[in-house]
Amino acid sequence: MDLGLRTRHAIVLGASQGLGLGVARSLLGEGASVTLVARSMERLATARASLAEDEQARCDLVAADLGEPDAVEDILRAAQREGRVVDILVNNSGGPPTGLPSGVSIDEMRGQFDKMVQPIMTLTLALLPGMRARRWGRIITITSSGVIQPIPHLPISNALRSSLVAFMKTLAGEVAADGVTVNVMAPGRIGTARTQSIDSAQAKRTGRSEDEIARESASSIPAGRYGTIEEFGAVAAFLASVPASYVTGSVIRVDGGAIRSI
Ligand SMILES: NC(=O)c1ccc[n+]([C@@H]2O[C@H](COP(=O)([O-])OP(=O)(O)OC[C@H]3O[C@@H](n4cnc5c(N)ncnc54)[C@H](OP(=O)(O)O)[C@@H]3O)[C@@H](O)[C@H]2O)c1
């Protein structure tokens, strides 16, 4: 199937590793050009070096911390340089700390809102008028399985990402007739540095080994394993594609069957 992405430009947030890198690679593999965003230019450069030569030529790197006030402006300036338009926005962020809901600090919650929600909404709203005017756009927001089945020890993630789901669903209804689709992805457990750090935190909490925690976690997933960033990226590339024009307002699970509800 031709995904029709060869003339499209995408911004992918949190793209130097993990899920964002998986998505960026899939889009580049389909011929799109991509602006990769993360805080560390060194990690971004390593990510770019892992790509094929023609893909490297189609990707720009922007070092920006989503928690800083100028980040959105810096990202837009780089992505829209020389009049280039942005057709696809893949929203993503770093994950918040783990802990019990009873121990959540409201200051921490506010700080995480400023990194995980505010910049995503600002960037989305900034790019929307152009997408609507051109009658084509794709907004994809990476959240978590926790927005469907809240994850113990991730109260901030569960709460803040749910607010993004509600916002994106509301937005999807407003812009569907303008050729702009708005979808949310809900990863279960995809093997990345973040999953590893969560397993490691659980290992510390319970006094067990990280390997044991990872094995137990994998065996609780119907697929029997963690997903790969390639599997995740492939779903994102389809959502970004021309043939996905009638998929909007959805929460797409990429979880190997981990979420138990329908
Ligand atoms: N992997 C999973 O199975 C899974 C499941 C559910 C939810 N999630 C969530 O999905 C998101 C991505 O997960 P992941 O596993 O890919 O995480 P990851 O491996 O930790 O990657 C996070 C990416 O975001 C960038 N980043 C972090 N903080 C940033 C900031 N303040 N500003 C700009 N970029 C920032 C990182 O690069 P720099 O450090 O250089 O900035 C990196 O490129 C996380 O929020 C995670 O909690 C993941």
Side-chain angles (χ1 to χ4, degrees):
M1 189 191 313
D2 179 6
L3 297 188
L5 292 173
R6 268 183 291 280
T7 57
R8 306 292 177 183
H9 181 68
I11 295 176
V12 182
L13 304 181
S16 62
Q17 62 180 35
L19 304 183
L21 180 58
V23 174
R25 278 196 193 134
S26 286
L27 294 174
L28 287 160
E30 292 297 324
S33 59
V34 180
T35 298
L36 280 72
V37 181
R39 288 168 302 183
S40 157
M41 183 49 87
E42 203 182 326
R43 274 196 287 274
L44 283 167
T46 305
R48 178 160 61 185
S50 73
L51 302 167
E53 216 166 288
D54 70 303
E55 293 174 350
Q56 292 190 24
R58 280 183 278 114
C59 77
D60 289 340
L61 310 180
V62 179
D65 182 337
L66 293 173
E68 293 297 324
D70 293 340
V72 168
E73 221 171 281
D74 292 348
I75 295 165
L76 288 171
R77 195 178 317 109
Q80 296 177 323
R81 71 178 159 81
E82 292 156 18
R84 183 170 60 180
V85 303
V86 178
D87 307 293
I88 300 161
L89 171 64
V90 181
N91 290 315
N92 185 22
S93 69
T98 59
L100 287 170
S102 56
V104 163
S105 131
I106 296 303
D107 281 347
E108 176 73 51
M109 181 77 100
R110 261 198 210 104
Q112 290 297 331
F113 178 90
D114 288 343
K115 289 182 198 173
M116 297 174 61
V117 180
Q118 178 271 328
I120 284 180
M121 287 177 58
T122 307
L123 203 46
T124 300
L125 293 174
L127 291 171
L128 201 58
M131 290 180 180
R132 294 179 88 176
R134 293 186 297 275
R135 304 198 69 74
W136 204 94
R138 300 285 184 262
I139 296 167
I140 298 167
T141 303
I142 299 174
T143 62
S144 166
S145 61
V147 302
I148 301 168
Q149 183 175 309
I151 304 168
H153 295 284
L154 279 173
I156 298 181
S157 169
N158 297 335
L160 294 182
R161 295 189 209 272
S162 293
S163 76
L164 280 176
V165 174
F167 177 75
M168 294 299 166
K169 178 66 181 170
T170 318
L171 180 63
E174 184 187 347
V175 301
D178 300 332
V180 180
T181 68
V182 184
N183 291 293
V184 165
M185 296 181 73
R189 306 221 85 202
I190 313 294
T192 68
R194 166 79 178 167
T195 345
Q196 204 182 342
S197 83
I198 288 178
D199 286 348
S200 154
Q202 198 186 337
K204 278 201 194 93
R205 253 193 334 265
T206 56
R208 296 159 70 201
S209 78
E210 207 177 301
D211 267 4
E212 203 184 331
I213 298 290
R215 263 200 312 276
E216 188 178 278
S217 169
S219 69
S220 74
I221 302 169
R225 61 176 177 84
Y226 289 1
T228 66
I229 62 169
E230 288 74 21
E231 288 172 314
F232 188 82
V235 178
F238 177 71
L239 289 174
S241 74
V242 171
S245 48
Y246 206 60
V247 181
T248 195
S250 290
V251 177
I252 312 293
R253 303 166 184 205
V254 186
D255 70 340
I259 300 169
R260 300 299 169 178
S261 64
I262 294 172

